[in-house]
Short mmCIF file of all heavy atoms in Angstrom, two decimals:
data_model
loop_
_atom_site.label_atom_id
_atom_site.label_comp_id
_atom_site.label_asym_id
_atom_site.label_seq_id
_atom_site.Cartn_x
_atom_site.Cartn_y
_atom_site.Cartn_z
N ILE A 1 78.66 52.62 -108.18
CA ILE A 1 77.97 51.51 -108.80
C ILE A 1 77.11 50.83 -107.73
O ILE A 1 77.59 50.52 -106.66
CB ILE A 1 78.96 50.49 -109.40
CG1 ILE A 1 79.74 51.15 -110.53
CG2 ILE A 1 78.25 49.25 -109.85
CD1 ILE A 1 80.81 50.28 -111.11
N VAL A 2 75.87 50.58 -108.09
CA VAL A 2 74.96 49.87 -107.19
C VAL A 2 75.14 48.38 -107.39
O VAL A 2 75.20 47.92 -108.52
CB VAL A 2 73.49 50.28 -107.47
CG1 VAL A 2 72.54 49.48 -106.61
CG2 VAL A 2 73.31 51.77 -107.26
N PRO A 3 75.23 47.62 -106.32
CA PRO A 3 75.38 46.17 -106.49
C PRO A 3 74.22 45.57 -107.27
O PRO A 3 73.09 46.01 -107.13
CB PRO A 3 75.39 45.64 -105.06
CG PRO A 3 75.24 46.79 -104.16
CD PRO A 3 75.11 48.03 -104.96
N ALA A 4 74.51 44.57 -108.09
CA ALA A 4 73.46 43.94 -108.91
C ALA A 4 72.31 43.48 -108.04
O ALA A 4 71.15 43.60 -108.40
CB ALA A 4 74.04 42.78 -109.70
N ARG A 5 72.62 42.97 -106.87
CA ARG A 5 71.58 42.50 -105.97
C ARG A 5 70.62 43.64 -105.61
O ARG A 5 69.44 43.43 -105.45
CB ARG A 5 72.24 41.96 -104.71
CG ARG A 5 71.30 41.39 -103.74
CD ARG A 5 72.10 40.70 -102.65
NE ARG A 5 71.27 40.55 -101.50
CZ ARG A 5 71.71 40.39 -100.29
NH1 ARG A 5 73.00 40.36 -100.08
NH2 ARG A 5 70.90 40.25 -99.30
N GLY A 6 71.14 44.85 -105.52
CA GLY A 6 70.31 46.00 -105.19
C GLY A 6 69.47 46.50 -106.34
O GLY A 6 68.62 47.35 -106.17
N MET A 7 69.71 45.95 -107.53
CA MET A 7 68.98 46.42 -108.69
C MET A 7 67.87 45.46 -109.09
O MET A 7 67.28 45.61 -110.14
CB MET A 7 69.94 46.62 -109.86
CG MET A 7 70.95 47.72 -109.57
SD MET A 7 72.08 47.99 -110.91
CE MET A 7 70.98 48.64 -112.14
N LEU A 8 67.55 44.50 -108.25
CA LEU A 8 66.54 43.52 -108.60
C LEU A 8 65.15 44.12 -108.73
O LEU A 8 64.34 43.63 -109.49
CB LEU A 8 66.52 42.40 -107.55
CG LEU A 8 67.75 41.51 -107.57
CD1 LEU A 8 67.70 40.54 -106.40
CD2 LEU A 8 67.86 40.77 -108.87
N MET A 9 64.88 45.16 -108.00
CA MET A 9 63.56 45.78 -108.04
C MET A 9 63.70 47.24 -108.45
O MET A 9 64.69 47.89 -108.16
CB MET A 9 62.90 45.72 -106.66
CG MET A 9 62.62 44.32 -106.17
SD MET A 9 61.49 43.40 -107.23
CE MET A 9 60.03 44.38 -107.08
N ALA A 10 62.68 47.76 -109.11
CA ALA A 10 62.69 49.16 -109.53
C ALA A 10 62.77 50.08 -108.32
O ALA A 10 63.25 51.20 -108.42
CB ALA A 10 61.43 49.46 -110.34
N ALA A 11 62.33 49.60 -107.18
CA ALA A 11 62.33 50.43 -105.96
C ALA A 11 63.67 50.40 -105.24
O ALA A 11 63.77 50.77 -104.09
CB ALA A 11 61.22 49.96 -105.03
N ALA A 12 64.72 49.96 -105.91
CA ALA A 12 66.02 49.84 -105.26
C ALA A 12 66.53 51.19 -104.74
O ALA A 12 67.13 51.25 -103.69
CB ALA A 12 67.03 49.23 -106.22
N TRP A 13 66.31 52.24 -105.48
CA TRP A 13 66.83 53.54 -105.07
C TRP A 13 66.02 54.07 -103.90
O TRP A 13 64.81 54.06 -103.89
CB TRP A 13 66.77 54.53 -106.24
CG TRP A 13 67.63 54.06 -107.36
CD1 TRP A 13 67.21 53.51 -108.53
CD2 TRP A 13 69.05 54.03 -107.40
NE1 TRP A 13 68.28 53.14 -109.29
CE2 TRP A 13 69.42 53.46 -108.63
CE3 TRP A 13 70.03 54.43 -106.51
CZ2 TRP A 13 70.74 53.29 -109.00
CZ3 TRP A 13 71.35 54.26 -106.89
CH2 TRP A 13 71.69 53.69 -108.11
N GLY A 14 66.73 54.52 -102.89
CA GLY A 14 66.08 55.13 -101.75
C GLY A 14 65.49 54.13 -100.77
O GLY A 14 64.64 54.48 -99.98
N ARG A 15 65.93 52.90 -100.81
CA ARG A 15 65.42 51.90 -99.87
C ARG A 15 65.67 52.36 -98.44
O ARG A 15 66.75 52.81 -98.11
CB ARG A 15 66.11 50.57 -100.07
CG ARG A 15 65.63 49.86 -101.27
CD ARG A 15 66.21 48.48 -101.28
NE ARG A 15 65.82 47.87 -102.53
CZ ARG A 15 66.12 46.66 -102.88
NH1 ARG A 15 66.83 45.91 -102.08
NH2 ARG A 15 65.74 46.18 -104.01
N GLN A 16 64.67 52.19 -97.63
CA GLN A 16 64.81 52.54 -96.23
C GLN A 16 64.95 51.30 -95.36
O GLN A 16 65.59 51.34 -94.33
CB GLN A 16 63.59 53.35 -95.77
CG GLN A 16 63.43 54.66 -96.50
CD GLN A 16 64.60 55.60 -96.25
OE1 GLN A 16 65.05 55.75 -95.12
NE2 GLN A 16 65.10 56.21 -97.29
N ASN A 17 64.31 50.21 -95.78
CA ASN A 17 64.28 49.01 -94.95
C ASN A 17 64.33 47.76 -95.83
O ASN A 17 63.33 47.06 -95.97
CB ASN A 17 63.00 49.05 -94.09
CG ASN A 17 63.06 48.07 -92.95
OD1 ASN A 17 64.01 47.32 -92.80
ND2 ASN A 17 62.01 48.06 -92.16
N PRO A 18 65.49 47.43 -96.38
CA PRO A 18 65.58 46.27 -97.26
C PRO A 18 65.46 44.96 -96.48
O PRO A 18 66.02 44.82 -95.39
CB PRO A 18 66.95 46.41 -97.91
CG PRO A 18 67.75 47.23 -96.96
CD PRO A 18 66.76 48.14 -96.27
N VAL A 19 64.72 44.03 -97.05
CA VAL A 19 64.55 42.71 -96.45
C VAL A 19 64.76 41.66 -97.53
O VAL A 19 64.55 41.91 -98.72
CB VAL A 19 63.16 42.53 -95.81
CG1 VAL A 19 63.01 43.41 -94.59
CG2 VAL A 19 62.05 42.77 -96.80
N ILE A 20 65.15 40.46 -97.10
CA ILE A 20 65.37 39.34 -98.02
C ILE A 20 64.17 38.41 -97.92
O ILE A 20 63.77 38.01 -96.82
CB ILE A 20 66.66 38.59 -97.67
CG1 ILE A 20 67.86 39.54 -97.74
CG2 ILE A 20 66.85 37.39 -98.60
CD1 ILE A 20 69.13 38.96 -97.15
N LEU A 21 63.60 38.06 -99.06
CA LEU A 21 62.53 37.07 -99.11
C LEU A 21 63.21 35.71 -99.02
O LEU A 21 64.05 35.39 -99.86
CB LEU A 21 61.74 37.20 -100.40
CG LEU A 21 60.75 38.37 -100.48
CD1 LEU A 21 61.40 39.71 -100.28
CD2 LEU A 21 59.99 38.33 -101.77
N PRO A 22 62.89 34.92 -98.01
CA PRO A 22 63.68 33.72 -97.71
C PRO A 22 63.70 32.64 -98.79
O PRO A 22 64.74 32.01 -98.99
CB PRO A 22 63.06 33.18 -96.43
CG PRO A 22 61.69 33.75 -96.39
CD PRO A 22 61.77 35.07 -97.09
N ASN A 23 62.63 32.40 -99.49
CA ASN A 23 62.61 31.31 -100.47
C ASN A 23 63.20 31.68 -101.82
O ASN A 23 63.83 30.87 -102.47
CB ASN A 23 61.19 30.77 -100.64
CG ASN A 23 60.71 30.09 -99.37
OD1 ASN A 23 61.47 29.41 -98.71
ND2 ASN A 23 59.46 30.30 -99.03
N SER A 24 62.99 32.92 -102.25
CA SER A 24 63.52 33.34 -103.54
C SER A 24 64.86 34.06 -103.40
O SER A 24 65.54 34.29 -104.38
CB SER A 24 62.53 34.24 -104.26
OG SER A 24 62.31 35.43 -103.51
N ASN A 25 65.21 34.47 -102.18
CA ASN A 25 66.45 35.18 -101.90
C ASN A 25 66.54 36.52 -102.63
O ASN A 25 67.61 36.97 -102.98
CB ASN A 25 67.66 34.30 -102.22
CG ASN A 25 68.87 34.72 -101.43
OD1 ASN A 25 68.76 35.14 -100.28
ND2 ASN A 25 70.03 34.63 -102.04
N VAL A 26 65.40 37.14 -102.85
CA VAL A 26 65.32 38.45 -103.49
C VAL A 26 65.24 39.50 -102.40
O VAL A 26 64.58 39.31 -101.39
CB VAL A 26 64.07 38.53 -104.41
CG1 VAL A 26 63.88 39.93 -104.95
CG2 VAL A 26 64.20 37.53 -105.54
N THR A 27 65.90 40.64 -102.62
CA THR A 27 65.84 41.74 -101.67
C THR A 27 64.83 42.77 -102.16
O THR A 27 64.84 43.15 -103.33
CB THR A 27 67.22 42.41 -101.51
OG1 THR A 27 68.12 41.44 -100.98
CG2 THR A 27 67.15 43.60 -100.59
N MET A 28 63.95 43.19 -101.25
CA MET A 28 62.93 44.20 -101.54
C MET A 28 62.82 45.13 -100.35
O MET A 28 63.27 44.81 -99.25
CB MET A 28 61.56 43.55 -101.76
CG MET A 28 61.45 42.69 -102.98
SD MET A 28 59.77 42.05 -103.19
CE MET A 28 58.87 43.57 -103.56
N ASP A 29 62.17 46.25 -100.55
CA ASP A 29 61.87 47.14 -99.45
C ASP A 29 60.70 46.55 -98.65
O ASP A 29 59.74 46.04 -99.23
CB ASP A 29 61.50 48.53 -99.97
CG ASP A 29 61.33 49.50 -98.83
OD1 ASP A 29 62.36 49.94 -98.30
OD2 ASP A 29 60.18 49.79 -98.46
N ARG A 30 60.80 46.59 -97.33
CA ARG A 30 59.77 45.99 -96.47
C ARG A 30 58.39 46.56 -96.77
O ARG A 30 57.40 45.82 -96.82
CB ARG A 30 60.10 46.20 -95.00
CG ARG A 30 59.04 45.62 -94.07
CD ARG A 30 59.38 45.80 -92.61
NE ARG A 30 60.50 44.99 -92.19
CZ ARG A 30 60.41 43.71 -91.83
NH1 ARG A 30 59.25 43.10 -91.84
NH2 ARG A 30 61.48 43.04 -91.46
N ASP A 31 58.27 47.87 -96.98
CA ASP A 31 56.96 48.47 -97.24
C ASP A 31 56.32 47.92 -98.52
O ASP A 31 55.11 47.70 -98.57
CB ASP A 31 57.06 49.99 -97.35
CG ASP A 31 57.39 50.65 -96.02
OD1 ASP A 31 57.21 49.99 -94.96
OD2 ASP A 31 57.83 51.81 -96.03
N ILE A 32 57.12 47.70 -99.54
CA ILE A 32 56.59 47.20 -100.81
C ILE A 32 56.09 45.77 -100.68
O ILE A 32 54.98 45.45 -101.10
CB ILE A 32 57.65 47.32 -101.92
CG1 ILE A 32 57.90 48.79 -102.23
CG2 ILE A 32 57.20 46.57 -103.19
CD1 ILE A 32 59.06 49.04 -103.14
N ILE A 33 56.89 44.91 -100.05
CA ILE A 33 56.45 43.52 -99.92
C ILE A 33 55.29 43.42 -98.92
O ILE A 33 54.39 42.60 -99.10
CB ILE A 33 57.62 42.57 -99.57
CG1 ILE A 33 57.19 41.11 -99.69
CG2 ILE A 33 58.19 42.87 -98.20
CD1 ILE A 33 56.77 40.67 -101.07
N ALA A 34 55.27 44.26 -97.91
CA ALA A 34 54.16 44.25 -96.94
C ALA A 34 52.85 44.59 -97.65
O ALA A 34 51.81 43.96 -97.39
CB ALA A 34 54.43 45.22 -95.81
N ARG A 35 52.88 45.55 -98.55
CA ARG A 35 51.69 45.91 -99.32
C ARG A 35 51.22 44.74 -100.18
O ARG A 35 50.03 44.46 -100.29
CB ARG A 35 52.00 47.12 -100.21
CG ARG A 35 50.94 48.17 -100.18
CD ARG A 35 51.38 49.40 -100.91
NE ARG A 35 52.82 49.59 -100.71
CZ ARG A 35 53.53 50.56 -101.18
NH1 ARG A 35 52.97 51.47 -101.90
NH2 ARG A 35 54.82 50.65 -100.96
N HIS A 36 52.16 44.07 -100.81
CA HIS A 36 51.83 42.90 -101.63
C HIS A 36 51.17 41.81 -100.78
O HIS A 36 50.18 41.21 -101.19
CB HIS A 36 53.09 42.35 -102.31
CG HIS A 36 52.91 40.98 -102.87
ND1 HIS A 36 52.26 40.74 -104.06
CD2 HIS A 36 53.29 39.76 -102.39
CE1 HIS A 36 52.24 39.44 -104.29
NE2 HIS A 36 52.86 38.82 -103.28
N LEU A 37 51.73 41.57 -99.59
CA LEU A 37 51.24 40.49 -98.74
C LEU A 37 49.83 40.76 -98.21
O LEU A 37 49.14 39.81 -97.81
CB LEU A 37 52.21 40.26 -97.58
CG LEU A 37 53.56 39.68 -97.99
CD1 LEU A 37 54.50 39.62 -96.79
CD2 LEU A 37 53.41 38.32 -98.64
N LEU A 38 49.38 42.00 -98.23
CA LEU A 38 48.01 42.29 -97.81
C LEU A 38 46.98 41.61 -98.71
O LEU A 38 45.91 41.22 -98.27
CB LEU A 38 47.76 43.81 -97.81
CG LEU A 38 48.45 44.60 -96.72
CD1 LEU A 38 48.25 46.09 -96.95
CD2 LEU A 38 47.97 44.17 -95.35
N SER A 39 47.32 41.47 -99.98
CA SER A 39 46.37 40.87 -100.92
C SER A 39 46.77 39.46 -101.38
O SER A 39 45.94 38.74 -101.93
CB SER A 39 46.20 41.77 -102.15
OG SER A 39 47.44 41.90 -102.82
N ASP A 40 48.04 39.09 -101.17
CA ASP A 40 48.50 37.80 -101.66
C ASP A 40 49.64 37.30 -100.76
O ASP A 40 50.74 37.83 -100.83
CB ASP A 40 49.00 37.95 -103.09
CG ASP A 40 49.38 36.64 -103.74
OD1 ASP A 40 49.33 35.59 -103.07
OD2 ASP A 40 49.73 36.67 -104.93
N PRO A 41 49.39 36.31 -99.90
CA PRO A 41 50.40 35.87 -98.95
C PRO A 41 51.46 34.94 -99.55
O PRO A 41 51.77 33.90 -99.00
CB PRO A 41 49.58 35.16 -97.87
CG PRO A 41 48.42 34.60 -98.62
CD PRO A 41 48.11 35.62 -99.70
N THR A 42 51.98 35.33 -100.70
CA THR A 42 53.00 34.52 -101.36
C THR A 42 54.16 35.40 -101.81
O THR A 42 54.03 36.60 -102.02
CB THR A 42 52.44 33.80 -102.61
OG1 THR A 42 52.03 34.78 -103.56
CG2 THR A 42 51.28 32.89 -102.25
N ASP A 43 55.30 34.75 -102.01
CA ASP A 43 56.48 35.39 -102.58
C ASP A 43 56.15 35.69 -104.05
O ASP A 43 55.79 34.78 -104.80
CB ASP A 43 57.66 34.43 -102.46
CG ASP A 43 58.97 35.00 -102.97
OD1 ASP A 43 58.97 35.67 -104.03
OD2 ASP A 43 59.99 34.74 -102.34
N PRO A 44 56.24 36.93 -104.49
CA PRO A 44 55.87 37.25 -105.88
C PRO A 44 56.81 36.67 -106.92
O PRO A 44 56.50 36.68 -108.11
CB PRO A 44 55.89 38.78 -105.91
CG PRO A 44 56.76 39.19 -104.78
CD PRO A 44 56.63 38.12 -103.73
N PHE A 45 57.94 36.13 -106.50
CA PHE A 45 58.91 35.60 -107.46
C PHE A 45 58.81 34.10 -107.66
O PHE A 45 59.28 33.58 -108.68
CB PHE A 45 60.33 35.99 -107.05
CG PHE A 45 60.51 37.48 -107.05
CD1 PHE A 45 60.34 38.21 -105.90
CD2 PHE A 45 60.78 38.15 -108.23
CE1 PHE A 45 60.47 39.60 -105.90
CE2 PHE A 45 60.91 39.52 -108.25
CZ PHE A 45 60.75 40.25 -107.08
N ASN A 46 58.23 33.39 -106.68
CA ASN A 46 58.12 31.94 -106.85
C ASN A 46 56.81 31.38 -106.29
O ASN A 46 56.61 30.18 -106.29
CB ASN A 46 59.32 31.22 -106.24
CG ASN A 46 59.41 31.41 -104.74
OD1 ASN A 46 58.47 31.85 -104.09
ND2 ASN A 46 60.56 31.09 -104.20
N ARG A 47 55.94 32.23 -105.82
CA ARG A 47 54.60 31.88 -105.33
C ARG A 47 54.60 30.99 -104.10
O ARG A 47 53.59 30.41 -103.74
CB ARG A 47 53.75 31.24 -106.43
CG ARG A 47 53.73 31.99 -107.77
CD ARG A 47 53.46 33.44 -107.65
NE ARG A 47 52.04 33.73 -107.50
CZ ARG A 47 51.59 34.90 -107.09
NH1 ARG A 47 52.41 35.86 -106.80
NH2 ARG A 47 50.31 35.09 -106.96
N SER A 48 55.72 30.88 -103.40
CA SER A 48 55.74 30.10 -102.15
C SER A 48 55.11 30.94 -101.03
O SER A 48 55.07 32.18 -101.11
CB SER A 48 57.16 29.70 -101.79
OG SER A 48 57.96 30.84 -101.57
N LYS A 49 54.64 30.28 -100.00
CA LYS A 49 54.01 30.97 -98.88
C LYS A 49 54.99 31.96 -98.27
O LYS A 49 56.18 31.67 -98.12
CB LYS A 49 53.59 29.96 -97.83
CG LYS A 49 52.96 30.60 -96.62
CD LYS A 49 52.60 29.58 -95.56
CE LYS A 49 52.10 30.33 -94.34
NZ LYS A 49 51.82 29.44 -93.24
N LEU A 50 54.48 33.15 -97.91
CA LEU A 50 55.33 34.18 -97.33
C LEU A 50 54.51 35.02 -96.36
O LEU A 50 53.38 35.41 -96.66
CB LEU A 50 55.91 35.08 -98.43
CG LEU A 50 56.89 36.17 -97.98
CD1 LEU A 50 58.15 35.55 -97.37
CD2 LEU A 50 57.25 37.06 -99.15
N THR A 51 55.08 35.29 -95.20
CA THR A 51 54.47 36.17 -94.21
C THR A 51 55.51 37.20 -93.78
O THR A 51 56.72 37.00 -93.98
CB THR A 51 53.98 35.39 -92.98
OG1 THR A 51 55.11 34.75 -92.37
CG2 THR A 51 52.93 34.35 -93.36
N LEU A 52 55.05 38.28 -93.18
CA LEU A 52 55.97 39.33 -92.74
C LEU A 52 57.03 38.82 -91.78
O LEU A 52 58.18 39.24 -91.83
CB LEU A 52 55.20 40.48 -92.08
CG LEU A 52 54.47 41.43 -93.02
CD1 LEU A 52 53.65 42.44 -92.22
CD2 LEU A 52 55.46 42.14 -93.92
N ASP A 53 56.65 37.91 -90.90
CA ASP A 53 57.62 37.42 -89.92
C ASP A 53 58.69 36.52 -90.55
O ASP A 53 59.71 36.24 -89.91
CB ASP A 53 56.93 36.71 -88.76
CG ASP A 53 56.14 35.50 -89.19
OD1 ASP A 53 55.49 35.55 -90.23
OD2 ASP A 53 56.18 34.50 -88.44
N MET A 54 58.51 36.11 -91.79
CA MET A 54 59.51 35.29 -92.48
C MET A 54 60.59 36.14 -93.14
O MET A 54 61.65 35.62 -93.52
CB MET A 54 58.82 34.43 -93.55
CG MET A 54 57.87 33.40 -92.97
SD MET A 54 56.84 32.62 -94.24
CE MET A 54 58.05 31.63 -95.11
N LEU A 55 60.38 37.45 -93.28
CA LEU A 55 61.33 38.33 -93.94
C LEU A 55 62.58 38.50 -93.08
O LEU A 55 62.51 38.61 -91.86
CB LEU A 55 60.70 39.70 -94.19
CG LEU A 55 59.43 39.69 -95.03
CD1 LEU A 55 58.85 41.09 -95.11
CD2 LEU A 55 59.68 39.12 -96.41
N LYS A 56 63.74 38.55 -93.75
CA LYS A 56 65.01 38.71 -93.05
C LYS A 56 65.58 40.09 -93.37
O LYS A 56 65.69 40.44 -94.54
CB LYS A 56 66.00 37.65 -93.52
CG LYS A 56 65.53 36.23 -93.32
CD LYS A 56 66.50 35.26 -93.98
CE LYS A 56 65.95 33.85 -93.95
NZ LYS A 56 66.80 32.93 -94.70
N PRO A 57 65.96 40.86 -92.38
CA PRO A 57 66.57 42.16 -92.65
C PRO A 57 67.85 42.00 -93.47
O PRO A 57 68.63 41.08 -93.23
CB PRO A 57 66.90 42.71 -91.26
CG PRO A 57 66.07 41.93 -90.32
CD PRO A 57 65.85 40.58 -90.95
N ASP A 58 68.02 42.87 -94.45
CA ASP A 58 69.26 42.85 -95.25
C ASP A 58 70.14 44.00 -94.75
O ASP A 58 70.21 45.06 -95.36
CB ASP A 58 68.93 43.01 -96.74
CG ASP A 58 70.14 42.73 -97.62
OD1 ASP A 58 71.28 42.82 -97.12
OD2 ASP A 58 69.95 42.45 -98.81
N ASP A 59 70.78 43.76 -93.62
CA ASP A 59 71.58 44.81 -92.98
C ASP A 59 72.76 45.25 -93.84
O ASP A 59 73.12 46.42 -93.84
CB ASP A 59 72.07 44.33 -91.61
CG ASP A 59 70.91 44.08 -90.66
OD1 ASP A 59 69.90 44.81 -90.73
OD2 ASP A 59 71.01 43.15 -89.83
N GLU A 60 73.35 44.31 -94.57
CA GLU A 60 74.49 44.65 -95.43
C GLU A 60 74.09 45.67 -96.49
O GLU A 60 74.78 46.65 -96.72
CB GLU A 60 75.03 43.39 -96.08
CG GLU A 60 76.20 43.65 -97.01
CD GLU A 60 76.65 42.40 -97.74
OE1 GLU A 60 76.47 41.29 -97.20
OE2 GLU A 60 77.18 42.55 -98.86
N LEU A 61 72.96 45.44 -97.15
CA LEU A 61 72.51 46.36 -98.18
C LEU A 61 72.09 47.70 -97.57
O LEU A 61 72.36 48.75 -98.13
CB LEU A 61 71.35 45.76 -98.98
CG LEU A 61 70.91 46.57 -100.19
CD1 LEU A 61 72.05 46.75 -101.19
CD2 LEU A 61 69.73 45.91 -100.87
N LYS A 62 71.48 47.66 -96.41
CA LYS A 62 71.07 48.89 -95.74
C LYS A 62 72.29 49.77 -95.45
O LYS A 62 72.27 50.98 -95.67
CB LYS A 62 70.33 48.57 -94.45
CG LYS A 62 69.70 49.76 -93.80
CD LYS A 62 68.81 49.34 -92.66
CE LYS A 62 68.06 50.54 -92.11
NZ LYS A 62 67.07 50.15 -91.13
N VAL A 63 73.37 49.15 -95.01
CA VAL A 63 74.62 49.89 -94.74
C VAL A 63 75.16 50.47 -96.04
O VAL A 63 75.58 51.63 -96.09
CB VAL A 63 75.66 48.98 -94.04
CG1 VAL A 63 77.03 49.63 -94.03
CG2 VAL A 63 75.20 48.65 -92.64
N ARG A 64 75.15 49.68 -97.10
CA ARG A 64 75.65 50.17 -98.40
C ARG A 64 74.87 51.39 -98.88
O ARG A 64 75.43 52.35 -99.37
CB ARG A 64 75.58 49.08 -99.46
CG ARG A 64 76.62 48.03 -99.32
CD ARG A 64 76.53 47.07 -100.47
NE ARG A 64 77.40 45.92 -100.26
CZ ARG A 64 77.41 44.87 -101.03
NH1 ARG A 64 76.60 44.81 -102.07
NH2 ARG A 64 78.21 43.87 -100.77
N PHE A 65 73.54 51.32 -98.77
CA PHE A 65 72.73 52.45 -99.23
C PHE A 65 72.91 53.66 -98.34
O PHE A 65 72.92 54.79 -98.81
CB PHE A 65 71.25 52.07 -99.31
CG PHE A 65 70.88 51.41 -100.61
CD1 PHE A 65 70.66 50.05 -100.68
CD2 PHE A 65 70.77 52.15 -101.77
CE1 PHE A 65 70.33 49.44 -101.88
CE2 PHE A 65 70.45 51.56 -102.98
CZ PHE A 65 70.22 50.19 -103.03
N SER A 66 73.06 53.46 -97.05
CA SER A 66 73.22 54.60 -96.14
C SER A 66 74.59 55.25 -96.30
O SER A 66 74.75 56.43 -96.05
CB SER A 66 72.99 54.19 -94.69
OG SER A 66 73.97 53.29 -94.27
N ALA A 67 75.57 54.48 -96.76
CA ALA A 67 76.92 55.01 -96.95
C ALA A 67 77.10 55.67 -98.32
O ALA A 67 78.06 56.42 -98.51
CB ALA A 67 77.95 53.88 -96.80
N ALA A 68 76.18 55.43 -99.24
CA ALA A 68 76.29 56.01 -100.59
C ALA A 68 76.08 57.51 -100.53
O ALA A 68 75.28 58.00 -99.73
CB ALA A 68 75.28 55.36 -101.53
N PRO A 69 76.80 58.25 -101.36
CA PRO A 69 76.65 59.72 -101.35
C PRO A 69 75.29 60.18 -101.86
O PRO A 69 74.60 59.55 -102.52
CB PRO A 69 77.74 60.19 -102.31
CG PRO A 69 78.24 59.00 -103.03
CD PRO A 69 77.76 57.78 -102.30
#
C-alpha cells in the first residue's frame, strides 16, 4: 500500500527525488515542480511564492519508495 501522502500527485509512482512544498505541505517530484517554476514562481496548490531553494527533501518518502518491491 502506498501512503496517502505519496498519492497526492499522479507522478507518485517512480519518484526519484521527492520534495515537500513548504507552504502547502504537498510532496512532489523535484523535476516536476522545477518545470512548473520555470513559468510560474508559485506553489500550484495555494499560489504562494515558491522557489527551488525553498523546497525541502522528503527523505522519509524517498526511503519508502526505494524500499518498495
Side-chain angles (χ1 to χ4, degrees):
I1 295 176
V2 175
R5 183 171 160 202
M7 296 180 67
L8 291 174
M9 296 299 297
W13 298 105
R15 284 188 185 181
Q16 298 297 316
N17 195 358
V19 292
I20 301 169
L21 284 57
N23 293 321
S24 63
N25 204 36
V26 173
T27 297
M28 293 184 68
D29 187 76
R30 179 179 290 277
D31 291 342
I32 292 171
I33 191 62
R35 225 172 325 181
H36 165 78
L37 292 174
L38 289 173
S39 62
D40 186 356
T42 63
D43 182 318
F45 298 94
N46 63 15
R47 311 311 280 165
S48 62
K49 179 183 175 184
L50 183 64
T51 61
L52 283 175
D53 61 320
M54 295 168 70
L55 302 175
K56 302 173 188 174
D58 190 339
D59 296 326
E60 179 185 331
L61 187 60
K62 189 171 186 172
V63 168
R64 286 184 189 172
F65 275 105
S66 65

